[in-house]
Amino acid sequence: MFIANQYVWRSLSRGAQGTFQKISPDLTKADKAKIALSRKTNLQWATIYSFAESPKKAGLYWAGTDDGNVQVSTDFGATWTNITNQFYDAAGKTKPGVKGT
């Protein structure tokens, strides 16, 4: 079982109390100014909004954050790679040739 906030947590015991382990660093951009603003409002920031494990390859995890990061782990969460720059430039615009745009 997995849960996510800015980290990914995994339980190998179906979520039994005390069994969740953090398997990622902070996968968000962790913009301190936006986090401070979110604490004053109802808005969330620096949160993993989408997480999935591959149905075809065990240990292949994908995480998408509300602040624009796309991260992937191919080794059960031991290491994570930010692949956002493969799809978007520094200004947040979709790179030419990216499908679905």
Side-chain angles (χ1 to χ4, degrees):
M1 170 180 265
F2 298 93
I3 58 173
N5 48 15
Q6 71 267 42
Y7 308 104
V8 176
W9 301 80
R10 178 182 62 206
S11 169
L12 299 176
S13 301
R14 298 183 180 184
Q17 186 173 356
T19 64
F20 279 96
Q21 297 177 323
K22 185 167 51 169
I23 63 166
S24 77
D26 186 340
L27 298 179
T28 71
K29 293 179 183 174
D31 182 319
K32 291 182 182 189
K34 289 186 178 182
I35 292 171
L37 179 61
S38 74
R39 289 187 176 136
K40 298 175 185 176
T41 67
N42 248 357
L43 302 173
Q44 294 296 311
W45 192 258
T47 302
I48 297 169
Y49 262 60
S50 181
F51 176 84
E53 179 177 16
S54 169
K56 296 189 178 204
K57 183 178 181 207
L60 175 59
Y61 306 147
W62 296 86
T65 68
D66 63 352
D67 57 3
N69 281 343
V70 179
Q71 305 257 11
V72 65
S73 175
T74 60
D75 55 8
F76 294 89
T79 59
W80 291 83
T81 303
N82 188 334
I83 61 168
T84 308
N85 64 359
Q86 294 179 26
F87 306 101
Y88 302 98
D89 65 20
K93 303 235 184 242
T94 306
K95 286 186 173 181
V98 173
K99 292 185 179 185
T101 58

